[in-house]
Amino acid sequence: MNTKPSRNHPKALLLTAFGTTIPAAYATYESMGQQFSEAFPDREIRWAFTSAFVRKKWKSRGKDILSPAAALAQLADDGFKEVSIQSLHVIHGYEYHDILKTARGLEGLPKSIEKITVGEPLLSDHNDYQRLCDILHAHAKVFRQPGEALLLMGHGTSHPANIAYAGLQEYLRHTDATIYVATIEAFPAIAQVIPQLRKAGIDTVWLMPLLTIAGDHVLNDMAGEKEDSWRSILVKEGFTVHMHPTSLGQIKDVVQMWIEKVPDGRSF
Ligand code: CO
């Protein structure tokens, strides 16, 4: 339930994600929100989804989820003067830059929010890359046997920030050379990673999303039965393929990375 600013909740934190229509993946956002509210007990926590398609779908199910602009307007109407927006995106792509534009557009309007700060996505600086590598390496130990590869499914984008995936691959090479990165929509594609798996003598591959939540892309593009899913492609290429459909938002240590990106988070 929305509350007004008060001595206990002087500021608000707007968690912003693409959104999902898949209820199980939506539950991941809810548990991430829980982790944020434990970290920021003195902040009013709200949500915004950037995808109009996703919001429309939830509206038809009777649930109103606001866009970032509408959520900020609501916070302004509720009397909040300071709002932090935390991007729950993985890289600095179009979605993140759209949040920046929205924040700039709505900050300082008359009788509105005076200060809007925006927290960066998961993979921003050197420490983020190194920390994510370490977390994924430790996480994979739980299910993966020696000699088996872990292939992470990133989203990929035509935005210049797509280089983050190649960057992550380079960091992984130093930490755990049996973890690979490919993307659904851009470079590197799975076709570019398969020859590397062969060259490394890999015959068993675990697939795992490098995505905030395990929604439609995981159900269909990663683990689906259709012949162009990554599972099908790898099986057809002769690999033994296992699924590990745990998303980044389901790994507490990764959510903690996002939590630490909340602007001036430590001062509360
Ligand atoms: Co997509």
Side-chain angles (χ1 to χ4, degrees):
M1 205 189 347
N2 292 348
T3 58
K4 309 275 179 200
S6 66
R7 195 164 300 165
N8 294 336
H9 288 266
K11 300 179 185 189
L13 172 58
L14 181 63
L15 302 177
T16 302
F18 181 79
T20 179
T21 61
I22 314 279
Y26 181 84
T28 298
Y29 286 133
E30 288 184 310
S31 68
M32 292 174 81
Q34 188 56 38
Q35 216 177 313
F36 273 90
S37 44
E38 282 160 21
F40 302 102
D42 51 357
R43 291 208 202 184
E44 167 75 1
I45 295 187
R46 305 255 178 112
W47 278 92
F49 282 177
T50 59
S51 167
F53 170 80
V54 168
R55 293 195 306 268
K56 208 170 154 190
K57 186 87 180 176
W58 281 105
K59 200 171 175 89
S60 76
R61 297 169 178 164
K63 195 175 181 70
D64 256 324
I65 301 172
L66 301 178
S67 66
L72 287 170
Q74 182 71 61
L75 284 164
D77 285 354
D78 289 346
F80 286 95
K81 297 294 174 202
E82 280 190 44
V83 177
S84 298
I85 305 176
Q86 182 55 49
S87 153
L88 299 180
H89 301 100
V90 178
I91 64 162
H92 289 239
Y94 290 112
E95 293 279 322
Y96 172 68
H97 287 91
D98 285 351
I99 296 176
L100 291 181
K101 284 182 206 157
T102 305
R104 283 187 199 123
L106 294 180
E107 186 179 49
L109 295 178
K111 296 178 184 172
S112 183
I113 304 167
E114 286 159 11
K115 190 181 168 199
I116 303 177
T117 51
V118 181
E120 292 189 304
L122 187 69
L123 291 175
S124 294
D125 66 20
H126 165 77
N127 290 330
D128 298 331
Y129 284 86
Q130 191 55 62
R131 193 165 162 191
L132 186 65
C133 287
D134 293 341
I135 292 169
L136 292 173
H137 172 68
H139 182 80
K141 277 187 184 155
V142 177
F143 56 87
R144 191 171 56 142
Q145 298 302 312
E148 298 176 347
L150 173 61
L151 173 56
L152 303 169
M153 175 190 252
H155 195 281
T157 174
S158 57
H159 190 279
N162 190 68
I163 197 68
Y165 298 104
L168 179 63
Q169 181 70 82
E170 177 63 6
Y171 275 84
L172 283 165
R173 197 170 65 83
H174 290 270
T175 307
D176 181 341
T178 60
I179 304 181
Y180 297 80
V181 181
T183 70
I184 306 160
E185 294 188 357
F187 178 87
I190 187 168
Q192 286 153 328
V193 174
I194 288 171
Q196 295 178 31
L197 295 169
R198 286 247 165 71
K199 211 168 135 193
I202 301 286
D203 46 38
T204 299
V205 180
W206 286 83
L207 289 174
M208 177 178 166
L210 184 72
L211 301 165
T212 307
I213 48 112
D216 194 59
H217 285 308
V218 173
L219 294 179
N220 295 306
D221 300 314
M222 188 180 100
E225 297 297 330
K226 57 179 185 161
E227 65 172 20
D228 59 349
S229 75
W230 286 20
R231 181 214 291 260
S232 301
I233 291 169
L234 290 169
V235 166
K236 202 172 166 197
E237 293 283 337
F239 293 96
T240 300
V241 187
H242 300 297
M243 299 297 126
H244 186 73
T246 301
S247 67
L248 297 173
Q250 290 173 285
I251 302 173
K252 279 202 153 27
D253 289 344
V254 179
V255 179
Q256 182 61 32
M257 289 176 63
W258 268 298
I259 285 173
E260 290 174 24
K261 292 186 169 296
V262 172
D264 49 76
R266 294 302 117 201
S267 67
F268 287 87

